Amino acid sequence: MMADRAARTRRRRGMSVIVIGSLTVLGLIAAFFIVDAGARSYAEGRVKQEIADNLPDTVTGDVSVSIGGISVIAQYLSGSFDRVALTAPTLSVDGVAASVRVVATQVPVDQGKPVGDVRGVVDLDQASLNTLLRSSLAADAPDAELVLGDGEVRYTGSLSVLGFPVGYEATATPTAVADSLLFTPTSAKVTTGSGSIDAGELLPLIVGQQPVRVCVAKYLPEGVSLARVNVTPERARITLESSSLLLTRKSLTTLGTCSAG
């Protein structure tokens, strides 16, 4: 009888040890995540401040920062953050308004090392796109205006044929090269001109013109290039990429250039 009572007492004590031990472990885990959450908030604030301090003076707007991964502390100790997302819905770059979203992976703690991979999306409305266009045109070039459509744009222009000015409206498809947006005419119609000029003969001449080129690189850090572009009536969405970007003031304020032609 006494032996049974002693055995039950030992089992209760054993269960108590297990429960207390489990609660202690859970408490430590909870404490770690609380500390890690504080470290995450601190790290996001530091990254946001570093970005604000290192952006060119021509860039204005608020940037939100989110650091992914399970443990910020562990990532910091490993020397890099797995994923850092930046969001700036109302950024202005040299007077050009844009909505920007950037995801960087393998972001080194040491700013002297390049970010492993950077992928970004920039949304421009029609007004912003035309601001870019005007800054890309030669000083003596006529005014131009791009109108966004589904997968294409429209614009007006003029050319001289046998000394006669001929106005036209062209439809163009957008593509992206490393430094610029290209709008290549695919169809056109003559809007003004002399009655002696055959409009049908003019169309191949209009469509065969050089693409309208909009320089984007001069608004981006050197080493960031355009990957593709998608156009809807609401916006032109440009996808950016880089595997050589440094998060230093010199790197972020050294802007790219566009090739001629």
Side-chain angles (χ1 to χ4, degrees):
M1 192 76 177
M2 293 183 63
D4 291 341
R5 188 178 299 115
R8 286 196 298 270
T9 300
R10 286 194 298 271
R11 285 196 294 271
R12 285 196 296 270
R13 289 175 178 171
M15 289 297 296
S16 298
V17 170
I18 293 173
V19 170
I20 292 172
S22 299
L23 290 176
T24 301
V25 171
L26 289 175
L28 290 173
I29 293 174
F32 170 79
F33 280 109
I34 290 172
V35 171
D36 194 72
R40 186 182 303 272
S41 178
Y42 173 78
E44 289 172 348
R46 282 295 304 271
V47 172
K48 180 176 180 177
Q49 189 60 50
E50 287 289 337
I51 292 172
D53 291 343
N54 291 328
L55 283 177
D57 295 335
T58 55
V59 177
T60 59
D62 188 54
V63 179
S64 298
V65 178
S66 175
I67 299 177
I70 296 177
S71 170
V72 167
I73 295 174
Q75 291 180 69
Y76 179 82
L77 293 176
S78 73
S80 67
F81 296 105
D82 295 339
R83 182 181 185 274
V84 178
L86 311 175
T87 305
T90 55
L91 203 67
S92 177
V93 183
D94 201 15
V96 178
S99 173
V100 180
R101 297 181 300 283
V102 176
V103 174
T105 55
Q106 297 304 307
V107 181
V109 174
D110 181 356
Q111 293 184 345
K113 297 179 180 179
V115 179
D117 184 70
V118 177
R119 304 282 169 170
V121 173
V122 177
D123 285 344
L124 301 170
D125 62 19
Q126 186 169 291
S128 294
L129 183 62
N130 279 293
T131 299
L132 286 179
L133 173 62
R134 285 190 290 273
S135 70
S136 300
L137 295 175
D140 58 349
D143 290 338
E145 184 83 11
L146 297 174
V147 178
L148 297 175
D150 284 313
E152 62 184 22
V153 301
R154 299 190 313 276
Y155 64 91
T156 58
S158 65
L159 69 165
S160 178
V161 179
L162 302 177
F164 296 100
V166 178
Y168 64 88
E169 181 181 282
T171 299
T173 56
T175 55
V177 294
D179 57 14
S180 303
L181 299 177
L182 301 181
F183 298 94
T184 305
T186 54
S187 63
K189 63 179 180 180
V190 174
T191 56
T192 62
S194 171
S196 62
I197 298 175
D198 185 352
E201 294 180 359
L202 287 179
L203 295 184
L205 180 61
I206 296 170
V207 172
Q209 292 189 104
Q210 290 293 319
V212 174
R213 189 182 191 96
V214 179
C215 177
V216 178
K218 62 184 179 181
Y219 296 92
L220 302 172
E222 191 174 46
V224 177
S225 60
L226 283 64
R228 56 186 174 275
V229 59
N230 173 266
V231 169
T232 69
E234 292 76 29
R235 51 95 184 121
R237 174 164 291 173
I238 306 168
T239 303
L240 310 173
E241 60 185 14
S242 177
S243 59
S244 60
L245 186 65
L246 296 173
L247 299 181
T248 62
R249 180 167 181 79
K250 181 179 179 181
S251 178
L252 293 177
T253 57
T254 302
L255 304 182
T257 56
C258 286
S259 58

